């Protein structure tokens, strides 16, 4: 933020120089650099101060027609500050903050100079002058003892030939000008001219050396910036990798807790007491919250790393809304009406239905959290001229203050207040929604009035540029003899056993990939349920080995995993003609997949 400058501030100028030409700008930079060194500023700091002075002075010459610069030392107690105040005679700056923004295509614009200068010093203060023009004050803190070194530093600056000549040409110093060589005798004039030429040559040499040093400083600064940018990119990559790996490791036990608590709640192994049923309910609730958090973290990590696949297929918005009604209506509080506006006039879409549903589900669940009476309305709009679908979620809840609207889609951001009491959330849902919308080629946004409600919207192309979908798995059920479960996780094998037990199947198990291959050869199972992550082998390699063997080339294989798959891994599974069932799928999914595989197996049909 640019701090305003009080025009009446006493800056106690001790050195004043005119600013009329580019040569004057160079002299101002030289004076600033010399003063900085005289006050024992580090070389890099003195160079940055001089560069800031150069940028602001050039603005005064190029954009305001000229002005002047005054250097002073401001002392408050033990704190000393070096000030460079540039005063110009231009029309002034009507909007200071806007002027600080560099204009594209105008590398010499006012905003470029001011923004550069602000980054180089401690502070930049700007004020409009009463009679027209602008005051810009450049502020740089200096080391202790500056007051004792100030007079000597100023004297050294004033003794420099070029600075002395420039200072003496200032209207304020015109009366103090030294006689010109032409005012003296010929011999004295010649000697003075030769001495001045010698001084100018020495000054040119010093300026060349300073320019070389400045160039090295600029190169070093750019190198430092690039190094910092590289470290930030590396840190961002590490964060995404950490979120992905840790979330995956958390997912397996959470899925097990959810599935086991579901078995208990369904009384599969017997009745529960009232106390036990309550405890199981708490376990399910906590596991569900953890599952949502882990899924959001994984989604966020995939989005940031650019590893999100889009599976586009044709579907109707009305069909999408039908599914959302069933999952979201139980979340509505008493007195809150959940309304879906009809979408039967909207043409079919071709995009990733799952991701669209996730975005809308995040918006609606968020709205239901903070709406205690009234309604939450989901409204679809189709712009045929632009080929885009817009879905708005409008609530009559507590609303969001204007100053928070720009932040609510950031990661882990939650607006604090009394309304948060009793409301759970990680602050990731809206951030994930924004990322998913970007993957689909769309965008999200929100409007809100505090105390009246909010509207969250997502807008996406009706037809995604690329994508592929998969046919639904067949649902014909059939009994089969032997199913081999290959998984190193005993909990996962237990859950598969429980799901398949009612179907009269013979179940055998292997805890390693090698043991699984041995059982395939010895038992000739009808179906193999194969995990991917095992200590001795990758399940994809085992799948490839099964397909390479003539005797098991057509053996039905169901890949049962909680691992986040890359596009290449999905392709390998599809190319091997294997089914994919995730471990966090709905209860009964593995049983349906096994029986569907048995029903479709040509070897069994030929018998």
């Amino acid at each position: 933020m640019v701090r305003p400058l009080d025009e009446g501030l006493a800056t106690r100028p001790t050195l004043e120089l005119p600013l009329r030409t580019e040569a004057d700008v160079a002299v101002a930079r030289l004076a600033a650099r010399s003063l900085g060194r005289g006050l024992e500023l580090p070389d890099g700091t003195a160079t940055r101060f001089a560069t800031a002075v150069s940028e602001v002075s050039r603005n005064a010459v190029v954009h305001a027609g000229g002005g002047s610069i005054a250097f002073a030392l401001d002392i408050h107690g033990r704190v000393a500050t070096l000030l460079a105040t540039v005063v110009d005679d231009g029309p002034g700056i009507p909007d200071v903050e806007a002027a600080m923004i560099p204009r594209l295509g105008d590398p010499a614009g006012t905003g470029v100079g001011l923004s550069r200068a602000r980054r180089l010093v401690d502070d930049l203060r700007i004020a409009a002058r009463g009679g027209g023009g602008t005051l810009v004050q450049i502020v740089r803190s200096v080391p202790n003892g500056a007051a004792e070194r100030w007079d000597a530093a100023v004297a050294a600056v004033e003794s420099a030939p070029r600075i002395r000549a420039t200072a003496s040409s200032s209207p304020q110093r015109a009366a103090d000008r030294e006689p010109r060589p032409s005012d003296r005798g010929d011999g004295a004039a010649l000697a003075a001219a030769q001495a001045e030429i010698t001084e100018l040559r020495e000054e040119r040499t010093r300026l060349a050396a300073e320019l070389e040093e400045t160039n090295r400083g600029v190169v070093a600064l750019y190198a430092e910036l690039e190094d910092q940018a590289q470290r930030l990119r590396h840190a961002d990559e590490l964060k995404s990798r950490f979120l992905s790996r840790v979330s995956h490791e958390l997912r397996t036990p959470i899925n097990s807790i959810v599935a086991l608590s579901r078995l208990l709640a369904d009384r599969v192994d017997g009745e529960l007491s009232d106390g036990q049923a309550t405890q199981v309910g708490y376990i399910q609730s906590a596991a569900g919250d953890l599952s949502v958090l882990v899924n959001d973290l994984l989604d966020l990590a995939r989005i940031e790393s650019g590893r999100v696949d889009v599976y586009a297929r044709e579907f109707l918005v009305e069909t999408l809304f039908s599914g959302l009604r069933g999952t979201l209506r139980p979340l509505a509080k008493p007195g809150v009406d959940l309304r879906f506006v009809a979408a039967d006039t909207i043409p079919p879409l071709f995009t990733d239905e799952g991701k669209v549903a996730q975005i809308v589900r995040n918006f609606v669940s968020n709205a239901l959290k903070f709406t205690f009476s009234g309604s939450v309305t989901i409204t679809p709009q189709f712009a045929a001229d632009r080929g885009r679908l817009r879905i708005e979620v409008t609530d009559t809840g507590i609303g969001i203050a204007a100053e928070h609207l720009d932040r609510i889609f950031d990661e882990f951001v939650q607006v604090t207040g009394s309304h948060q009491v009793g409301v759970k959330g990680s602050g990731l849902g809206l951030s994930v929604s924004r990322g998913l919308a970007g993957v689909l080629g769309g965008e999200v946004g929100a409007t809100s009035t505090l105390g009246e409600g909010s509207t969250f919207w997502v807008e996406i192309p009706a037809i995604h540029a690329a994508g592929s979908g998969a046919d639904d798995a067949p649902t014909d059920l059939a009994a089969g003899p032997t199913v081999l479960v290959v998984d190193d996780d005993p909990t996962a094998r237990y859950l598969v056993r429980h799901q398949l037990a009612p179907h009269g199947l013979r179940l055998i198990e292997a805890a390693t990939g090698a043991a699984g291959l041995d059982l395939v050869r010895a038992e000739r199972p009808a179906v193999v349920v194969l995990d991917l992550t095992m200590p001795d082998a990758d399940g994809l390699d085992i799948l490839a080995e099964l397909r390479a063997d003539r005797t098991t080339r057509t053996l039905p294989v169901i890949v049962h995993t909680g691992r986040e798959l890359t596009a290449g891994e999905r392709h390998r599974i599809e190319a091997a003609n294997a089914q994919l069932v995730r471990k966090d799928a709905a209860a009964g999914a593995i049983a349906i997949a096994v029986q569907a595989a048995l029903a479709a197996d040509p070897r069994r049909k030929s018998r």
Side-chain angles (χ1 to χ4, degrees), residues 161-243:
R162 193 174 180 189
I163 294 177
R164 186 172 67 244
T166 302
S168 66
S169 67
S170 173
Q172 290 84 350
R173 300 292 181 91
D176 300 328
R177 282 204 305 255
E178 296 181 2
R180 293 174 297 187
S182 59
D183 297 333
R184 306 171 184 171
D186 290 343
L190 181 60
Q194 289 176 338
E196 185 172 353
I197 291 173
T198 301
E199 288 183 349
L200 287 174
R201 285 175 177 170
E202 292 175 352
E203 182 64 23
R204 184 180 65 181
T205 302
R206 284 195 295 271
L207 285 174
E210 181 186 350
L211 180 60
E212 177 66 23
E213 183 179 350
T214 300
N215 287 339
R216 288 198 300 269
V218 171
V219 171
L221 179 60
Y222 275 112
E224 181 181 352
L225 290 174
E226 177 59 29
D227 185 53
Q228 290 179 353
Q230 180 63 31
R231 285 199 295 268
L232 287 174
R233 287 191 293 268
H234 183 60
D236 190 59
E237 180 184 348
L238 287 177
K239 184 193 77 171
S240 297
R241 195 182 307 166
F242 171 79
L243 288 176

Side-chain angles (χ1 to χ4, degrees), residues 336-341 360 363-364 366-368 371 373-381 390-397 447-449 452-457:
V336 177
D337 186 16
L338 183 60
R339 304 170 183 169
F340 285 84
V341 176
V360 177
F363 286 172
V364 175
N366 204 58
L368 290 172
T371 301
S373 63
S375 63
V376 174
T377 305
I378 300 91
T379 306
Q381 301 172 2
R390 182 184 177 100
I391 299 178
E392 295 184 349
V393 177
T394 303
D395 64 64
T396 58
T447 58
S448 185
T449 301
E452 296 182 12
S454 307
T455 296
F456 285 80
W457 55 265

Side-chain angles (χ1 to χ4, degrees), residues 16-42:
E16 187 169 352
L17 301 170
L19 294 173
R20 292 186 300 270
T21 66
E22 284 286 349
D24 292 339
V25 173
V27 170
R29 175 187 173 87
L30 179 62
R33 179 66 180 273
S34 181
L35 283 173
R37 285 179 166 176
L39 296 177
E40 298 185 0
L41 286 174

Side-chain angles (χ1 to χ4, degrees), residues 293 366 369-370 400 404 407-417 419-430:
L293 175 60
N366 204 58
K369 285 180 185 177
F370 301 105
I400 303 169
H404 297 309
R407 300 173 51 244
I408 56 176
F409 287 98
D410 293 341
E411 300 171 18
F412 301 105
V413 169
Q414 291 180 308
V415 179
T416 58
H419 57 273
Q420 286 283 6
V421 177
V423 177
K424 298 178 180 179
S426 62
L428 287 174
L430 295 180

Side-chain angles (χ1 to χ4, degrees), residues 295-356:
N295 288 336
D296 284 346
L297 286 171
L298 278 172
D299 287 338
L300 199 61
R302 285 198 302 266
I303 291 168
E304 290 183 349
S305 62
R307 293 187 292 107
V308 179
D309 297 321
V310 175
Y311 297 95
R313 69 180 186 86
E314 187 175 278
F315 66 94
L316 294 172
V317 176
E318 190 61 42
T319 304
L320 171 73
F321 281 6
S322 296
L324 290 172
R325 282 190 190 94
T327 57
L328 293 172
R329 203 171 291 281
L331 301 179
K333 304 178 181 70
V336 177
D337 186 16
L338 183 60
R339 304 170 183 169
F340 285 84
V341 176
D344 50 4
T345 60
I346 296 178
L349 307 180
F350 185 82
T351 187
D352 193 318
E353 182 180 6
K355 291 179 176 58
V356 178

Side-chain angles (χ1 to χ4, degrees), residues 381-392:
Q381 301 172 2
F382 182 69
D385 57 334
R386 297 185 297 121
R388 294 177 74 86
L389 171 73
R390 182 184 177 100
I391 299 178
E392 295 184 349

